[in-house]
Amino acid sequence: MLDRTLIWNQRHLLHALHEYERFYNEHRPHQGIVNARPLHPLPAPIGDPERIARLNIRRRDHLGGILHEYEHAA
């Protein structure tokens, strides 16, 4: 993350690191652990082909677009 970010001061650095830590532990899927987030249980699998075809995904950017958070829209 830090190779793509211009850090202005210590306060900005601490903010960026806090956001990255929150993103990494709360949202980001970990591919080595069956795409499970460390602080959340595994989601239920989607087996219905009709439901898979109609997925509505939303993206939220964090840290000026460096981190992307994806979620199913209700």
Side-chain angles (χ1 to χ4, degrees), residues 45-55:
I46 300 173
D48 180 21
E50 288 289 321
R51 192 168 163 215
I52 291 173
R54 293 181 280 116
L55 289 178

Side-chain angles (χ1 to χ4, degrees), residues 32-49:
I33 313 173
V34 193
N35 288 332
R37 299 177 293 174
L39 302 178
H40 297 278
L42 286 172
I46 300 173
D48 180 21

Side-chain angles (χ1 to χ4, degrees), residues 4-64:
R4 297 180 181 173
T5 307
L6 179 61
I7 301 295
W8 296 101
N9 54 31
Q10 183 179 1
R11 181 177 174 211
H12 186 229
L13 172 65
L14 293 176
H15 170 73
L17 291 175
H18 174 73
E19 281 291 313
Y20 182 77
E21 179 183 30
R22 187 189 63 75
F23 175 79
Y24 188 86
N25 287 327
E26 293 179 9
H27 177 74
R28 181 185 168 271
H30 293 264
Q31 295 189 8
I33 313 173
V34 193
N35 288 332
R37 299 177 293 174
L39 302 178
H40 297 278
L42 286 172
I46 300 173
D48 180 21
E50 288 289 321
R51 192 168 163 215
I52 291 173
R54 293 181 280 116
L55 289 178
N56 186 7
I57 307 294
R58 293 199 179 148
R59 181 178 109 174
R60 282 191 276 168
D61 292 341
H62 295 276
L63 288 175

